[in-house]
Amino acid sequence: MKKNLFVILTAAAVLFAAVTTGCESTRTVSHGISDVGYITFTSEDFDAVRVVIDDKIEFYAAVNSPDTRKIDNENNYAVKAGTHSVQVYSGDRLVFSKEVFISSQDIREITLP
């Protein structure tokens, strides 16, 4: 009787170890918020503008209409969080120039005249 009980308990322990080893246990994964904010531009007069950030980064940006009251995610541009010098040009004409602070994971809306 003791021998059968020992065999059954040993088999149960081996089966339990095989089942728990083969299954993936719960994992804890942590991700930090990336150090990036976003800028978007709105204007009644412009459809696209040239943007210069910190005299280093230059790109063309689409401009949202202020009437839509919706920010189009395709027109959000990623910028490292912090204070940046932003100049916006329509053709060769400077239409916006200011130092702006962009928070991490926030969207900074710049309204053009």
Side-chain angles (χ1 to χ4, degrees):
M1 180 74 169
K2 283 185 175 182
K3 190 175 187 182
N4 288 340
L5 183 62
F6 178 76
V7 170
I8 291 172
L9 288 176
T10 304
V14 169
L15 182 62
F16 178 76
V19 169
T20 58
T21 304
C23 296
E24 196 171 310
S25 62
T26 304
R27 287 189 209 168
T28 303
V29 178
S30 63
H31 295 280
I33 295 175
S34 62
D35 194 21
V36 173
Y38 301 89
I39 57 174
T40 188
F41 303 94
T42 59
S43 176
E44 294 177 358
D45 299 329
F46 305 108
D47 292 329
V49 291
R50 183 171 55 99
V51 180
V52 179
I53 298 177
D54 297 329
D55 296 323
K56 296 177 185 173
I57 302 168
E58 183 175 335
F59 60 92
Y60 287 89
V63 178
N64 295 311
S65 171
D67 297 335
T68 62
R69 300 191 52 90
K70 176 185 169 199
I71 296 176
D72 188 353
N73 286 337
E74 291 179 4
N75 297 339
N76 294 342
Y77 301 94
V79 178
K80 186 173 176 156
T83 302
H84 297 281
S85 171
V86 178
Q87 289 89 33
V88 180
Y89 296 88
S90 175
D92 290 334
R93 187 179 73 149
L94 179 66
V95 293
F96 178 87
S97 180
K98 190 174 183 180
E99 285 205 5
V100 295
F101 180 77
I102 300 167
S103 300
S104 180
Q105 295 298 308
D106 283 340
I107 299 172
R108 173 68 186 252
E109 183 177 349
I110 296 176
T111 303
L112 302 173

